Amino acid sequence: MKIIEKKKIWFGASAAFIVAGLIAALLFGFNYGIDFTGGTVMEMNLHKNVSIAEIKEMSKEIDSNITINKLGADKTVVQLKTIKDMDSQKINGFFETFKAKYNLEDTDLLKAEQIGPSVGNEIKNKAMLAVFVSTIFMLIYISFRFELSYGVAAIVSLVHDVLFMLAFYALFRIPLNSTFIAAILTVVGYSINDTIVVFDRIRENIGNYKKSEYATLANDSIKQTLIRTMNTSLTTIVTISALYIFGVDAIKEFTLPLIAGIMVGTYSSIFIASPVWVSFKQKQKFS
């Protein structure tokens, strides 16, 4: 296993994907959801379980990308989220369509409110602050428990994961909303856990290798932890994939970034963190 020796391939592949995503984001922007752009949220009691496809068909004149969630134990309440800024006249007109089709009363429009973009900016700023603060505390913790070189390599890996996820969302035009923020923080924690497992084995093995054998040390340590890493990731991905396949839209919005993030986190703990650590140690040796 020569993972460290092929680090240019891993670094190049990640860089190409991230750069492509960033270019897409610069050219077309992110596909921000209502949590970031502001818009309108409505909830209606339809008194029966209506298919998502049918509701989407009725809503396409307002917004073909409208988000639909079914609420309640019997799934008779639907929540509609659109980035369109709808005034009371438009909301009432939209509700009339449902009212006529399903024989609803005026009281069946349970909720209709507009979300301002200022709320979206607040979520965005707090999300960036949360990622920044968690990254700093992880750097301090890993540097204290291991040493600075491990902490720097782990943070580089985390930054890689966050940028990779943003690129993934930019390239595939997936709506970016508040569930993405929750998922990305979860992925950051999961990824650092995988990375620490590899680093812990490197620390255990380091006394058995010469200073000129950092690459061999890292390769052997990755090999020794590889089965554990893959088994943990696969079992987690299978579980979350089941939630994605059988869950409602709101669950899918949360599980999709988790699936992608866990795959990226597993990749980075093997192909990014350890090669960065070896590069850092080799520079220290020759400085």
PDB file of all heavy atoms in Angstrom, residues 1-16:
ATOM      1  N   MET A   1       0.848  -1.199   0.000  1.00  0.00           N
ATOM      2  CA  MET A   1       0.000   0.000   0.000  1.00  0.00           C
ATOM      3  C   MET A   1       0.885   1.251   0.000  1.00  0.00           C
ATOM      4  O   MET A   1       1.637   1.469   0.943  1.00  0.00           O
ATOM      5  CB  MET A   1      -0.906  -0.017   1.244  1.00  0.00           C
ATOM      6  CG  MET A   1      -1.873   1.137   1.304  1.00  0.00           C
ATOM      7  SD  MET A   1      -2.953   1.040   2.742  1.00  0.00           S
ATOM      8  CE  MET A   1      -4.022  -0.296   2.282  1.00  0.00           C
ATOM      9  N   LYS A   2       0.819   2.031  -1.061  1.00  0.00           N
ATOM     10  CA  LYS A   2       1.690   3.208  -1.190  1.00  0.00           C
ATOM     11  C   LYS A   2       0.826   4.476  -1.315  1.00  0.00           C
ATOM     12  O   LYS A   2       0.882   5.184  -2.325  1.00  0.00           O
ATOM     13  CB  LYS A   2       2.621   3.043  -2.391  1.00  0.00           C
ATOM     14  CG  LYS A   2       3.608   1.892  -2.229  1.00  0.00           C
ATOM     15  CD  LYS A   2       4.591   1.851  -3.372  1.00  0.00           C
ATOM     16  CE  LYS A   2       5.577   0.713  -3.205  1.00  0.00           C
ATOM     17  NZ  LYS A   2       6.418   0.835  -2.009  1.00  0.00           N
ATOM     18  N   ILE A   3       0.048   4.730  -0.316  1.00  0.00           N
ATOM     19  CA  ILE A   3      -0.849   5.898  -0.335  1.00  0.00           C
ATOM     20  C   ILE A   3      -0.058   7.197  -0.274  1.00  0.00           C
ATOM     21  O   ILE A   3      -0.333   8.149  -1.003  1.00  0.00           O
ATOM     22  CB  ILE A   3      -1.843   5.799   0.842  1.00  0.00           C
ATOM     23  CG1 ILE A   3      -2.826   4.661   0.574  1.00  0.00           C
ATOM     24  CG2 ILE A   3      -2.589   7.123   1.052  1.00  0.00           C
ATOM     25  CD1 ILE A   3      -3.763   4.366   1.713  1.00  0.00           C
ATOM     26  N   ILE A   4       0.934   7.241   0.585  1.00  0.00           N
ATOM     27  CA  ILE A   4       1.699   8.479   0.755  1.00  0.00           C
ATOM     28  C   ILE A   4       2.470   8.826  -0.522  1.00  0.00           C
ATOM     29  O   ILE A   4       2.523   9.986  -0.932  1.00  0.00           O
ATOM     30  CB  ILE A   4       2.682   8.340   1.947  1.00  0.00           C
ATOM     31  CG1 ILE A   4       1.919   7.931   3.220  1.00  0.00           C
ATOM     32  CG2 ILE A   4       3.440   9.643   2.152  1.00  0.00           C
ATOM     33  CD1 ILE A   4       0.823   8.886   3.627  1.00  0.00           C
ATOM     34  N   GLU A   5       3.064   7.801  -1.151  1.00  0.00           N
ATOM     35  CA  GLU A   5       3.866   8.043  -2.354  1.00  0.00           C
ATOM     36  C   GLU A   5       3.003   8.596  -3.507  1.00  0.00           C
ATOM     37  O   GLU A   5       3.513   9.255  -4.413  1.00  0.00           O
ATOM     38  CB  GLU A   5       4.548   6.750  -2.805  1.00  0.00           C
ATOM     39  CG  GLU A   5       5.676   6.281  -1.881  1.00  0.00           C
ATOM     40  CD  GLU A   5       5.164   5.563  -0.633  1.00  0.00           C
ATOM     41  OE1 GLU A   5       3.936   5.521  -0.424  1.00  0.00           O
ATOM     42  OE2 GLU A   5       5.998   5.070   0.142  1.00  0.00           O
ATOM     43  N   LYS A   6       1.717   8.306  -3.489  1.00  0.00           N
ATOM     44  CA  LYS A   6       0.814   8.769  -4.555  1.00  0.00           C
ATOM     45  C   LYS A   6      -0.002   9.988  -4.137  1.00  0.00           C
ATOM     46  O   LYS A   6      -1.081  10.240  -4.672  1.00  0.00           O
ATOM     47  CB  LYS A   6      -0.125   7.625  -4.971  1.00  0.00           C
ATOM     48  CG  LYS A   6       0.606   6.420  -5.552  1.00  0.00           C
ATOM     49  CD  LYS A   6      -0.379   5.298  -5.893  1.00  0.00           C
ATOM     50  CE  LYS A   6       0.369   4.105  -6.469  1.00  0.00           C
ATOM     51  NZ  LYS A   6      -0.536   2.954  -6.733  1.00  0.00           N
ATOM     52  N   LYS A   7       0.528  10.746  -3.203  1.00  0.00           N
ATOM     53  CA  LYS A   7      -0.246  11.865  -2.655  1.00  0.00           C
ATOM     54  C   LYS A   7      -0.591  12.919  -3.716  1.00  0.00           C
ATOM     55  O   LYS A   7      -1.622  13.589  -3.611  1.00  0.00           O
ATOM     56  CB  LYS A   7       0.513  12.531  -1.495  1.00  0.00           C
ATOM     57  CG  LYS A   7       1.851  13.152  -1.895  1.00  0.00           C
ATOM     58  CD  LYS A   7       2.558  13.704  -0.674  1.00  0.00           C
ATOM     59  CE  LYS A   7       3.910  14.307  -1.068  1.00  0.00           C
ATOM     60  NZ  LYS A   7       4.655  14.773   0.118  1.00  0.00           N
ATOM     61  N   LYS A   8       0.257  13.065  -4.737  1.00  0.00           N
ATOM     62  CA  LYS A   8      -0.043  14.061  -5.780  1.00  0.00           C
ATOM     63  C   LYS A   8      -1.339  13.715  -6.515  1.00  0.00           C
ATOM     64  O   LYS A   8      -2.081  14.600  -6.947  1.00  0.00           O
ATOM     65  CB  LYS A   8       1.120  14.163  -6.766  1.00  0.00           C
ATOM     66  CG  LYS A   8       2.361  14.834  -6.165  1.00  0.00           C
ATOM     67  CD  LYS A   8       3.465  14.967  -7.208  1.00  0.00           C
ATOM     68  CE  LYS A   8       4.681  15.667  -6.603  1.00  0.00           C
ATOM     69  NZ  LYS A   8       5.799  15.767  -7.571  1.00  0.00           N
ATOM     70  N   ILE A   9      -1.605  12.427  -6.655  1.00  0.00           N
ATOM     71  CA  ILE A   9      -2.851  12.000  -7.306  1.00  0.00           C
ATOM     72  C   ILE A   9      -4.055  12.386  -6.454  1.00  0.00           C
ATOM     73  O   ILE A   9      -5.033  12.966  -6.937  1.00  0.00           O
ATOM     74  CB  ILE A   9      -2.839  10.468  -7.544  1.00  0.00           C
ATOM     75  CG1 ILE A   9      -1.720  10.092  -8.505  1.00  0.00           C
ATOM     76  CG2 ILE A   9      -4.201   9.999  -8.077  1.00  0.00           C
ATOM     77  CD1 ILE A   9      -1.571   8.596  -8.710  1.00  0.00           C
ATOM     78  N   TRP A  10      -3.963  12.081  -5.118  1.00  0.00           N
ATOM     79  CA  TRP A  10      -5.096  12.385  -4.227  1.00  0.00           C
ATOM     80  C   TRP A  10      -5.296  13.908  -4.132  1.00  0.00           C
ATOM     81  O   TRP A  10      -6.430  14.391  -4.206  1.00  0.00           O
ATOM     82  CB  TRP A  10      -4.857  11.803  -2.829  1.00  0.00           C
ATOM     83  CG  TRP A  10      -4.217  10.452  -2.787  1.00  0.00           C
ATOM     84  CD1 TRP A  10      -3.133  10.064  -2.059  1.00  0.00           C
ATOM     85  CD2 TRP A  10      -4.618   9.270  -3.504  1.00  0.00           C
ATOM     86  NE1 TRP A  10      -2.823   8.755  -2.272  1.00  0.00           N
ATOM     87  CE2 TRP A  10      -3.716   8.234  -3.158  1.00  0.00           C
ATOM     88  CE3 TRP A  10      -5.638   8.985  -4.412  1.00  0.00           C
ATOM     89  CZ2 TRP A  10      -3.815   6.946  -3.673  1.00  0.00           C
ATOM     90  CZ3 TRP A  10      -5.740   7.706  -4.937  1.00  0.00           C
ATOM     91  CH2 TRP A  10      -4.846   6.711  -4.564  1.00  0.00           C
ATOM     92  N   PHE A  11      -4.194  14.627  -3.938  1.00  0.00           N
ATOM     93  CA  PHE A  11      -4.293  16.086  -3.815  1.00  0.00           C
ATOM     94  C   PHE A  11      -4.832  16.696  -5.123  1.00  0.00           C
ATOM     95  O   PHE A  11      -5.669  17.599  -5.096  1.00  0.00           O
ATOM     96  CB  PHE A  11      -2.931  16.699  -3.499  1.00  0.00           C
ATOM     97  CG  PHE A  11      -2.409  16.369  -2.117  1.00  0.00           C
ATOM     98  CD1 PHE A  11      -1.123  16.723  -1.743  1.00  0.00           C
ATOM     99  CD2 PHE A  11      -3.197  15.696  -1.201  1.00  0.00           C
ATOM    100  CE1 PHE A  11      -0.642  16.424  -0.470  1.00  0.00           C
ATOM    101  CE2 PHE A  11      -2.721  15.381   0.068  1.00  0.00           C
ATOM    102  CZ  PHE A  11      -1.428  15.735   0.429  1.00  0.00           C
ATOM    103  N   GLY A  12      -4.345  16.170  -6.253  1.00  0.00           N
ATOM    104  CA  GLY A  12      -4.764  16.714  -7.545  1.00  0.00           C
ATOM    105  C   GLY A  12      -6.237  16.469  -7.814  1.00  0.00           C
ATOM    106  O   GLY A  12      -6.953  17.356  -8.297  1.00  0.00           O
ATOM    107  N   ALA A  13      -6.706  15.253  -7.480  1.00  0.00           N
ATOM    108  CA  ALA A  13      -8.118  14.922  -7.707  1.00  0.00           C
ATOM    109  C   ALA A  13      -9.023  15.802  -6.854  1.00  0.00           C
ATOM    110  O   ALA A  13     -10.039  16.336  -7.334  1.00  0.00           O
ATOM    111  CB  ALA A  13      -8.354  13.439  -7.390  1.00  0.00           C
ATOM    112  N   SER A  14      -8.652  15.971  -5.593  1.00  0.00           N
ATOM    113  CA  SER A  14      -9.464  16.817  -4.701  1.00  0.00           C
ATOM    114  C   SER A  14      -9.445  18.267  -5.168  1.00  0.00           C
ATOM    115  O   SER A  14     -10.490  18.934  -5.200  1.00  0.00           O
ATOM    116  CB  SER A  14      -8.923  16.734  -3.263  1.00  0.00           C
ATOM    117  OG  SER A  14      -9.171  15.457  -2.724  1.00  0.00           O
ATOM    118  N   ALA A  15      -8.258  18.748  -5.523  1.00  0.00           N
ATOM    119  CA  ALA A  15      -8.135  20.144  -5.967  1.00  0.00           C
ATOM    120  C   ALA A  15      -8.958  20.390  -7.225  1.00  0.00           C
ATOM    121  O   ALA A  15      -9.632  21.420  -7.352  1.00  0.00           O
ATOM    122  CB  ALA A  15      -6.665  20.491  -6.220  1.00  0.00           C
ATOM    123  N   ALA A  16      -8.931  19.425  -8.156  1.00  0.00           N
ATOM    124  CA  ALA A  16      -9.690  19.587  -9.410  1.00  0.00           C
ATOM    125  C   ALA A  16     -11.183  19.688  -9.134  1.00  0.00           C
ATOM    126  O   ALA A  16     -11.884  20.540  -9.699  1.00  0.00           O
ATOM    127  CB  ALA A  16      -9.404  18.400 -10.343  1.00  0.00           C
TER     128      ALA A  16
END
